[in-house]
Amino acid sequence: MTKYPIEAYTTAFDYMKHISSLCTASILLLVAFLEKLFTNPEWKFCVALSLVSFLICVVSCLVCQAATIEMIDNEKTIARWAKPTLYLGFAAVWTFFSIGLASLTLFAIVNLY
């Protein structure tokens, strides 16, 4: 028997799916509209930091999803890598998602005001 009900794993998996969708959409929108919104932007490094952060966040979400799938098993047969990978991946998701949002917000504030 698994440690948690299957709905807990499904919720965690879906949560990571939504975060990765947000990051992917942010990357696409940044690439598509940045040139049209700002003709001579300042602090371009914030955009680069944001793009890299969102990309790392997407990869971290994929790692978390793989670990979540591995954990839907008998408690005795879960691979040793699953729990620490899930915890580290989750920390990476929130860290890089926050960095991406913060740097994008900083870029917008500097260039709009």
Side-chain angles (χ1 to χ4, degrees), residues 1 9-13 53 61 63 66 73 97 104:
M1 191 71 189
Y9 296 104
T10 305
T11 302
F13 190 88
S53 295
C61 283
V63 169
D73 200 358
F97 186 70
L104 186 58

Side-chain angles (χ1 to χ4, degrees), residues 30-107:
L30 272 172
V31 171
F33 293 119
L34 185 65
E35 180 180 298
K36 294 175 178 141
L37 291 175
F38 302 105
T39 55
N40 192 14
E42 298 178 22
W43 291 24
K44 293 178 186 178
F45 70 91
C46 286
V47 173
L49 179 61
S50 183
L51 287 171
V52 170
S53 295
F54 287 141
L55 180 62
I56 294 171
C57 185
V58 169
V59 172
S60 298
C61 283
L62 294 174
V63 169
C64 285
Q65 287 174 325
T68 302
I69 290 170
E70 174 62 29
M71 292 179 67
I72 304 174
D73 200 358
N74 188 323
E75 186 70 25
K76 295 176 184 174
T77 60
I78 294 174
R80 288 184 179 184
W81 61 266
K83 284 183 184 179
T85 302
L86 181 63
Y87 298 144
L88 288 173
F90 192 76
V93 165
W94 268 105
T95 300
F96 288 105
F97 186 70
S98 299
I99 290 171
L101 285 178
S103 63
L104 186 58
T105 302
L106 182 61
F107 175 79

Side-chain angles (χ1 to χ4, degrees), residues 19-33:
I19 295 290
S20 66
S21 295
L22 284 172
C23 289
T24 304
S26 297
I27 291 170
L28 292 174
L29 289 172
L30 272 172
V31 171
F33 293 119

